[in-house]
Amino acid sequence: MFNKILIANRGEIACRVIRTAQRLGISTVAVYSDADRDALHVTMADEAVHIGAAPSRESYLLGDKVIEAALRTGAQAIHPGYGFLSENADFCNRCKQEKLVFIGPPVGAIEAMGSKSAAKQIMEKAGVPLVPGYHGDDQSPALLKQASDEMGYPVLLKATAGGGGKGMRQVWSADEFDEALAAAKRESLNAFGDDRMLVEKYLTQPRHVEIQVFCDQQGNAVYLFERDCSVQRRHQKVIEEAPAPGMHEALRQQMGEAAIRAAQAIDYEGAGTVEFLLDSDGSFYFMEMNTRLQVEHPVTEMITGQDLVEWQLRVASGEPLPLQQQELRIHGHAFEARVYAEDPDNDFLPVTGTLSFLQPPVNSQHVRVDSGVRQGDEVSVFYDPMIAKLIVWDEDRDRALSRLTRALGEYRISGMTTNLEFLYNLANCQPFRDADLDTGFIDKHHAAIFLDGEERLGQDLPLAALYLVLRQQQSAEQSAGHSRDPSSPWHNTDGWRLNAPSQQDFTLLLHEQAYPLTVEQRRSGAGCGYRITGSDATYCSDARGVLEGNQLRANLDGYQLNATVSEHDGIISLYTANNAISFRLQKPDLGDQDSDQNAGGLSAPMNGTIVTLLVEPGSEVAKGDALLVMEAMKMEHSIRAPADGRVVSFFYNSGDLVDGGSELVEFETNPA
Ligand code: ADP
């Protein structure tokens, strides 16, 4: 076994690898960029080496710097994590030249899986089922079309050099074919400098089921069962689970053995994942093999009781696999939800900010939080905006799902928009409970997941208003407590007024909307409650509550609920078992013009490429109109008008690379 390893990564995966290394008594070396000087992975490691500037192409992607750091610190092996250098054949080769162990597969296996069509040819020979289609060298458009016609529509065009969904087009009928082919080729040439295509039968309701495989240097191979990753947004996984719901033992074994054939066909070593599409009739087809540890590996760890990073370290140091196939068992059910700094209501646009309040659910036998950040840390424009992975386990799917929703409800994050509410609603919706899964799940069940803001106002507004009056009362009581005459009528905090119920007006800003509210204190036989009304509705006739520290116990017309409160930067968040509400209190309009109202400027949420400009400079636009599309983190994002106004100019053209934080648009807001 190694004495010292270097982890060529950052964030949660770097921390994850360090934890296992520490448990095994292996010293660890972290690498870090300017942006990560104080990052958690740096403080956790025994040593850390600075390797460059914040953008990853100037630090974490610089193989030479990483190797230099390993040689300098005397590390014997490099764990690449996922992303960055993990599937980079050149880097793997360079490690070998320097006699450093690359904790991953041999370079030949990475190369073999680098091209989708070459990978398919290898898999075909190994007898691994493929999606029906054409993946040959003859690229003449007529031949591609003929192959599609014979297969029958719909078909899917894929760039052979593809990844991240780029250069991929669905074709629903023969007359759409030529146009779709031209578009997919253009996109692929732009993204990969290569426009070769393959054609596949497009499966309309498949599931994404992948098999975890492990191979050692002695030629042993096992599969650690499957993960279902069908719940995806833009072909990116959101919630994964293991085992796959409805999986039969016979199919599991067939898929597992096919995955092992796939791995052995490329002389695999270490951890790998073979991704399949599983059709509704039980047929399954090879999609690709990822030659690294996957983000979602913890669900496999939870159901098998194994530590896959430990397996990686053992195998890379030359030990045989810790267990054989017949010794592996599935126990219980696990889910993983990826908690992101992003705005699900705005096309999942990544957001940045400071984690001003961060309270994950408590780790236990059932709940595991893999994270690389602490309260006070920054989610910056430079890296993936994932805050944490929330992993839960229990004896069966229903119980594990209850654990998941409960843990999501307990997760407290302030300082930026996150997808917690979206995850909560997704995990809680009936089709997900019923495991009615396929890769179109989120689109199909959009209405159940994206609850209309209006539907929740009936509870959210009175709860927020109740909190505000109780907080006001509390601070009045505190100042009375400090006074020399606490019993002075001027310190009376029960809001009593002669002949009239006491009344207060607030305007709350919730989901970007202003809600004027009136809170009236009413006395009745059983103490005092509040009536909370909006401009044209009564939200609650009798709201009562107790505020102790950051815990609010509320009773809204006889419905009892608890909330945890956090207040930061003027944003008040109330976390209940059902959802999180974040709002601000609108300041009274004192007539002073907010100067940044008119200051133009919309900036890139992160490093990326401008895909298209959607309006002409000089155009008048309405709030929310999409102005341009940029691509970052494998996804396209629309940048939208923050208010009604005029686009004065764009600072970039389509195809330009932009750094996160760069101003993109000069924008003038219409005078109110
Ligand atoms: P990329 O490498 O660009 O991410 P993949 O080949 O891994 O592309 O496919 C990504 C996702 O696209 C899959 O998880 C699945 O949801 C969908 N997909 C891929 N191939 C097909 C197909 N033949 N039919 C239906 N959906 C597909």
Side-chain angles (χ1 to χ4, degrees), residues 116 158 163-165 200-203 208 232 235 277 288 439:
K116 282 189 198 290
K158 276 189 190 177
E200 278 177 7
K201 179 87 193 142
Y202 182 69
L203 308 179
H208 174 125
Q232 304 179 350
H235 304 310
L277 287 174
E288 66 175 345
T439 55

Side-chain angles (χ1 to χ4, degrees), residues 104-105 212-215 268-273 289-293 308 312 315:
Q212 175 73 56
V213 293
F214 241 102
C215 305
Y268 204 76
E269 282 167 27
T273 294
M289 178 165 183
N290 290 319
T291 53
R292 55 174 160 79
L293 193 68
L308 297 192
Q312 284 190 297
V315 164

Side-chain angles (χ1 to χ4, degrees), residues 391-653:
I391 305 115
V392 298
W393 176 91
D394 210 323
E395 296 288 337
D396 57 39
R397 187 175 192 272
D398 283 352
R399 280 192 265 179
L401 189 51
S402 301
R403 299 263 176 207
L404 179 64
T405 49
R406 173 177 272 265
L408 284 166
E410 284 170 4
Y411 220 122
R412 313 276 183 251
I413 303 174
S414 294
M416 66 196 64
T417 309
T418 70
N419 66 342
L420 275 173
E421 236 174 286
F422 161 79
L423 290 172
Y424 185 88
N425 294 332
L426 169 51
N428 227 3
C429 76
Q430 195 57 45
F432 191 74
R433 292 191 173 281
D434 295 342
D436 176 16
L437 306 175
D438 67 69
T439 55
F441 185 91
I442 291 176
D443 285 338
K444 203 156 81 181
H445 302 294
H446 195 272
I449 302 167
F450 290 85
L451 297 180
D452 186 350
E454 293 295 319
E455 284 172 26
R456 295 198 313 246
L457 290 180
Q459 180 185 306
D460 292 356
L461 288 178
L463 189 67
L466 178 67
Y467 167 69
L468 290 171
V469 285
L470 293 176
R471 185 187 68 162
Q472 211 166 58
Q473 235 175 53
Q474 216 172 47
S475 66
E477 274 162 19
Q478 274 160 7
S479 53
H482 292 132
S483 152
R484 266 186 249 149
D485 179 12
S487 54
S488 152
W490 302 111
H491 294 313
N492 191 343
T493 56
D494 68 0
W496 181 84
R497 286 184 196 176
L498 189 66
N499 294 334
S502 118
Q503 182 174 312
Q504 294 194 57
D505 295 317
F506 299 106
T507 299
L508 299 189
L509 290 173
L510 193 80
H511 304 301
E512 305 285 309
Q513 285 258 14
Y515 295 95
L517 294 178
T518 299
V519 182
E520 244 179 283
Q521 185 170 337
R522 302 165 73 78
R523 290 174 164 282
S524 67
C528 72
Y530 300 93
R531 182 158 77 177
I532 297 159
T533 46
S535 35
D536 50 11
T538 297
Y539 287 110
C540 182
S541 318
D542 188 21
R544 290 154 190 264
V546 181
L547 180 64
E548 277 168 357
N550 68 346
Q551 295 299 313
L552 169 65
R553 262 183 297 131
N555 189 310
L556 305 174
D557 286 334
Y559 170 60
Q560 185 85 37
L561 76 167
N562 296 331
T564 306
V565 186
S566 84
E567 269 197 53
H568 287 281
D569 311 326
I571 297 172
I572 302 167
S573 305
L574 297 175
Y575 300 93
T576 69
N578 298 327
N579 66 335
I581 321 159
S582 288
F583 62 96
R584 279 179 295 136
L585 203 49
Q586 192 170 62
K587 294 200 187 84
D589 183 2
L590 302 175
D592 51 343
Q593 274 289 322
D594 188 353
S595 57
D596 60 27
Q597 278 261 308
N598 296 320
L602 290 157
S603 51
M606 49 189 29
N607 298 338
T609 314
I610 305 294
V611 179
T612 46
L613 306 179
L614 297 172
V615 300
E616 291 293 324
S619 315
E620 294 289 331
V621 291
K623 180 178 174 182
D625 283 355
L627 307 181
L628 64 87
V629 178
M630 72 173 281
E631 190 213 275
M633 315 284 335
K634 299 203 245 164
M635 288 160 67
E636 288 194 350
H637 308 288
S638 301
I639 305 291
R640 296 175 185 280
D644 294 351
R646 193 171 74 91
V647 172
V648 181
S649 62
F650 288 104
F651 298 131
Y652 294 91
N653 280 317

Side-chain angles (χ1 to χ4, degrees), residues 103-162:
I103 303 174
V107 67
I110 299 179
E111 280 167 349
M113 292 297 113
S115 150
K116 282 189 198 290
S117 54
K120 284 188 170 229
Q121 278 159 19
I122 297 171
M123 293 307 148
E124 195 166 37
K125 270 204 209 120
V128 179
L130 301 181
V131 186
Y134 172 80
H135 49 263
D137 293 330
D138 186 341
Q139 287 286 310
S140 80
L143 185 109
L144 293 173
K145 173 134 192 307
Q146 193 194 342
S148 308
D149 290 345
E150 282 168 10
M151 203 165 6
Y153 293 88
V155 300
L156 187 65
L157 290 165
K158 276 189 190 177
T160 61

